[in-house]
Amino acid sequence: MAAGIGVTAGDYRYRSDSNGRLICQYGLDVAAGLNLANDAFLRACRGLPVDQVPVWFMRQAGRSLPEYHKVRGKGSMLDTIARPELATEITLQPVRRYGVDAAILYSDIVVPTHAIGFGVDIVPGVGPVVEQPFRGARDLTRLRPLDPEADTPYVLETVRNLAAELDVPLIAFAGAPFTMASYLVEGGPSRTHALTKRLMHSEPELWSALLDRLADLAIASIASQLDAGASAFQLFDSWAGALAPDEYRRFVLPASQRIFAELGSRGDGAPGIHFGVGTSELLELLAKAGADVVGVDWRVHLDDARERLGPDIAVQGNLDPAAVLAPWSVVAERAIDVLNRNSGQPGHVFNLGHGVLPETDPETLERVVELVHGYKAAP
Amino acid sequence: MAAGIGVTAGDYRYRSDSNGRLICQYGLDVAAGLNLANDAFLRACRGLPVDQVPVWFMRQAGRSLPEYHKVRGKGSMLDTIARPELATEITLQPVRRYGVDAAILYSDIVVPTHAIGFGVDIVPGVGPVVEQPFRGARDLTRLRPLDPEADTPYVLETVRNLAAELDVPLIAFAGAPFTMASYLVEGGPSRTHALTKRLMHSEPELWSALLDRLADLAIASIASQLDAGASAFQLFDSWAGALAPDEYRRFVLPASQRIFAELGSRGDGAPGIHFGVGTSELLELLAKAGADVVGVDWRVHLDDARERLGPDIAVQGNLDPAAVLAPWSVVAERAIDVLNRNSGQPGHVFNLGHGVLPETDPETLERVVELVHGYKAAP
C-alpha cells in the first residue's frame, strides 16, 4: 500500500486501537482496508521527505464555501455539529473541492465545554458566548470531566463516518487551556483578555486548577477523536499571542505540555500541531509544549521561524488569509514566497496563517493547492 | 535653567520658531520663560542619562479617570477635542494626579481627517467610523492638505494653553499612514484589515498615493503642534503589527520614513516615538523609519527589544495594560521586571505596552509612577 507513494516500511509502526483493529502509526487504518492516496501531510508532520508539499487550510470547511451555505441551514453552529451526516458532508466538501492533503473535523473548540453543560453557544457574527462566565472556585464544578461516548456521541459518529470515507488523514482538534479559559472568563471574544489575565495574576492556584480541567477536556476530546479514526491533532491556542513569553511559560505551558505528553503517551504516533496567532515570541515555547508541528502566522517569515525552532520541529503555515483576497498574481507571489522561504526542507505543511476569511473566493484556494502541489524548490 | 536638573549646556541646541522665539532643542521654550521642572522624558528619548526613569501612560488622559468623566459631558469625543479649555483641562488631569514626566495632547488620530471633511466620527464603544470609506482613486481628492491654523485652530489653541501651563514636556501625535489607511478603507476598526491589504496588494500605486496623502496630513498636524509648543511627537502605527515584515518594508516604510525625515529636518530636535502593537517582527523597521524611540508592547521582553534595536535607539514601554488590573504585588513585580530588563541603561521611557484600559484603577497608576521614579537599577 505504501509502496505507491514512495515511502518505506521503516517509516511506519503499528498498534491496535480500542476495537482491536490494527492502526498504522500515521493513521493508515490497515485492518479497515483504507487506502490513503495521500499521506504527505502525516509525513511532513514527522519531518519526512515528501513528493509534494502537503496543504490544508484552517477553516477550509465552512463559511467561505457556497456548498456549505446550501446544506448548513439556520440555527446555531452547535446544532449543525450535532448532526453527524451534515458534519460529515461539510468536512468532506473542501476535500472534494480543493484536493487538500488533510481533512479537519467540522466542529468547534467550545463543543466539549458546551457538551458538559457549561452553557456556551456560538452566536453568528460574534463567536462563542458564555451565559454565566467563570468567576470563581465554585465554577470549577461546572467543568466536570468529558465522557466522549455519552457527551459527544455525534462527534465520534462524524469521525467514524469520515474515517470510512476519506482518502486523506483526518485532523482532530481541541481548544487549548488558555484560549478556552479566555472565552469562559471573558464570557466571549475579547480584544484585551483583561479579566483572564487578572484571574491568572490574582488567583494563580485557581487559574492552575481551571487550566487543568480544561487540559483534561482537551485530552479526553482529542483522544476520543483519535480512537474514532483521526490520525493527527491540532491544539488551538489561538489567543496565546496575547501573553508575554514569561507569562506563557509560567501560567500556560504546564497545562498545554500535559496535553501533548498524555496524547503522545498513547503510542499511536498521531502527530500534534500547536497553533496560535501573534506568537512571534512564543514559537520556541509552543514547540517546548511537546508539539511535532508549530503553526506559524504570517507575521513571522517562515525562514525566521525555522531558524528559531530548529531542525526537529515541523512548521505549518503561513500565507496571510487577507493576502488571499488579492488578485491571483499577488496570491501566487505570496504563496511562492512562503514556499521559497522553506527552501524545500522536509517538515513543512502549507496552510494559511489563520482561518480562511468568509469573503475568500474558493477558486483562489483551488489555485493555491495546485500551486503548492506543483512547486519544486530550487535545487 | 538646565543646571538644576543635572544637564550640561552641551546637551542642548537652540533654534528660532516660526514666531522668532528661541526654542531649545529639547523643547524648553527659553524665550517664553518656561521652566520645565522635569526634562527626564526628553533626555531619555535622546538616550541621555537621567536621575529617574521617566514615565507616562498612553491614554493617561481620558476614560480611566473619574475627573475626566466629570468634565467630559456627552456627545462625540471630537466635540470635546474641539473645545480648547476642556481639552487643556483633560490633558492636565493625569499630569496633576500621577506626576508623570510628559503630557500627551488630549486628541485623536482621526482629528486631521475629520477636520478636512473626510466624514469620520468617533462612536463610543466602537471607535472611528467613516461614513463613506475610501474605495478608489476618486476618493483621493477627499484627502486635501491640512491647513492647521484654519482646519484645527482648536488643537493649536489647546497646545498653546498647555505649553503655558505645563512644567513637563507635551507630546504631539498623529496617526501613521498604515493605521489611518486601515480606518479609512475598512470604514472602522478591523480585526483582519482585509480590505486594506487587498487595496495594498491590488492597487499598489493608488495605495502609495493614499499613504502619501496620509503622510502629508501627519506631517502638517505634528509640525503645527510642535510649532505651538509641543516638544516631542509620537507616530501611532497601532495596527502595523498586522503586516509581515516584507509587506511593511515595501508598502508602509517609505511613507512613514518621510514623516520622520521631514519632521527631523525642521531642526528643532523634537524626538520622535514610533509606536505599534504586535510589532515583534517589525521593531528594527520601526526604528529604520527614523524614530528616536521605538514603542514596545508587552509581548516582547525589553531586553530582547534592546538587543534587536541596538544602543542608538531608545525604547518606550512595556508593562501590559491588562496586568495593571491585578493586585498591587503583581503589578509591582511586573513593573520591576520591565525596569530590570532594561538594567538601568539610558534611553528608557517607562510606559504601558498599549493604552490604559478604561477599567484601570487610577490609584494603581499613581503607585506605578512612584515605583518607577524610586527605582534604582542594581549596580
Side-chain angles (χ1 to χ4, degrees), chain A residues 287-310:
Chain A
K288 200 178 172 188
D292 302 288
V293 187
V294 170
V296 180
D297 86 1
W298 65 93
R299 292 172 176 89
V300 189
H301 291 308
L302 215 55
D303 40 352
D304 293 332
R306 280 282 196 189
E307 204 179 303
R308 289 177 215 170
L309 288 166

Side-chain angles (χ1 to χ4, degrees), chain B:
Chain B
M1 180 180 68
I5 43 174
V7 298
T8 67
D11 291 341
Y12 292 95
R13 283 198 300 274
Y14 298 89
R15 69 165 182 97
S16 293
D17 73 5
S18 49
N19 302 316
R21 295 182 311 179
L22 197 63
I23 300 277
C24 171
Q25 171 170 18
Y26 297 126
L28 299 165
D29 187 333
V30 178
L34 286 184
N35 185 359
L36 291 188
N38 189 344
D39 72 346
F41 164 74
L42 295 168
R43 292 182 56 82
C45 288
R46 286 295 177 193
L48 298 172
V50 286
D51 291 337
Q52 294 180 343
V53 176
V55 49
W56 69 283
F57 304 112
M58 287 181 277
R59 283 198 189 269
Q60 64 189 13
R63 314 175 292 186
S64 63
L65 291 180
E67 56 266 40
Y68 167 76
H69 292 288
K70 206 167 158 189
V71 301
R72 154 86 161 87
K74 301 274 175 195
S76 167
M77 209 181 126
L78 291 173
D79 298 334
T80 311
I81 291 166
R83 295 171 58 191
E85 279 183 35
L86 203 46
T88 302
E89 166 60 17
I90 291 170
T91 304
L92 291 172
Q93 284 174 345
V95 180
R96 275 190 223 118
R97 181 191 268 264
Y98 297 134
V100 281
D101 297 275
I104 184 154
L105 183 66
Y106 177 74
S107 185
D108 192 90
I109 59 171
V110 302
V111 163
T113 336
H114 164 73
I116 60 167
F118 196 86
V120 50
D121 200 357
I122 302 171
V123 177
V126 178
V129 172
V130 176
E131 210 179 320
Q132 293 185 299
F134 185 96
R135 283 288 170 264
R138 73 183 180 289
D139 292 315
L140 279 178
T141 57
R142 295 167 59 204
L143 288 166
R144 68 158 173 83
L146 181 77
D147 176 353
E149 293 286 351
D151 296 325
T152 53
Y154 46 88
V155 169
L156 304 184
E157 193 179 330
T158 304
V159 174
R160 287 187 197 108
N161 288 348
L162 288 165
E165 292 216 27
L166 281 167
D167 61 358
V168 294
L170 176 67
I171 304 169
F173 73 89
F178 174 76
T179 294
M180 288 311 303
S182 175
Y183 284 119
L184 302 192
V185 172
E186 307 285 343
S190 166
R191 210 173 52 78
T192 61
H193 309 277
L195 296 173
T196 314
K197 289 179 180 178
R198 177 155 65 186
L199 179 69
M200 178 177 94
H201 284 301
S202 316
E203 304 188 60
E205 283 178 25
L206 176 59
W207 172 259
S208 170
L210 169 60
L211 260 64
D212 262 346
R213 301 233 174 178
L214 293 170
D216 288 340
L217 287 177
I219 292 165
S221 173
I222 291 174
S224 71
Q225 296 173 58
L226 292 173
D227 282 341
S231 338
F233 67 91
Q234 178 156 320
L235 188 67
F236 280 89
D237 212 351
S238 308
W239 311 137
L243 296 168
D246 67 341
E247 286 177 324
Y248 180 87
R249 188 181 291 110
R250 187 163 148 199
F251 293 109
V252 178
L253 181 61
S256 293
Q257 217 156 21
R258 187 161 66 81
I259 296 172
F260 284 100
E262 293 201 14
L263 291 171
S265 73
R266 291 163 46 91
D268 56 2
I273 309 167
H274 204 177
F275 170 78
V277 286
T279 54
S280 312
E281 304 296 308
L282 301 179
L283 292 177
E284 294 94 326
L285 291 169
L286 294 179
K288 199 178 172 190
D292 302 288
V293 187
V294 170
V296 181
D297 86 0
W298 65 92
R299 292 172 176 89
V300 189
H301 291 308
L302 215 55
D303 42 351
D304 293 331
R306 281 281 196 190
E307 204 179 304
R308 289 177 215 171
L309 288 166
D312 297 334
I313 301 289
V315 291
Q316 177 173 281
N318 70 345
L319 184 62
D320 184 348
V324 173
L325 307 181
W328 173 248
S329 63
V330 175
V331 181
E333 182 213 301
R334 303 297 302 170
I336 290 170
D337 183 61
V338 168
L339 291 159
N340 283 342
R341 285 180 188 272
N342 185 59
S343 345
Q345 295 168 80
H348 177 212
V349 175
F350 193 99
N351 205 319
L352 303 181
H354 201 180
V356 175
L357 295 173
E359 58 265 49
T360 305
D361 181 352
E363 277 186 37
T364 305
L365 293 184
E366 286 174 37
R367 296 178 77 175
V368 170
V369 172
E370 210 178 317
L371 182 152
V372 173
H373 283 163
Y375 176 82
K376 296 285 168 217

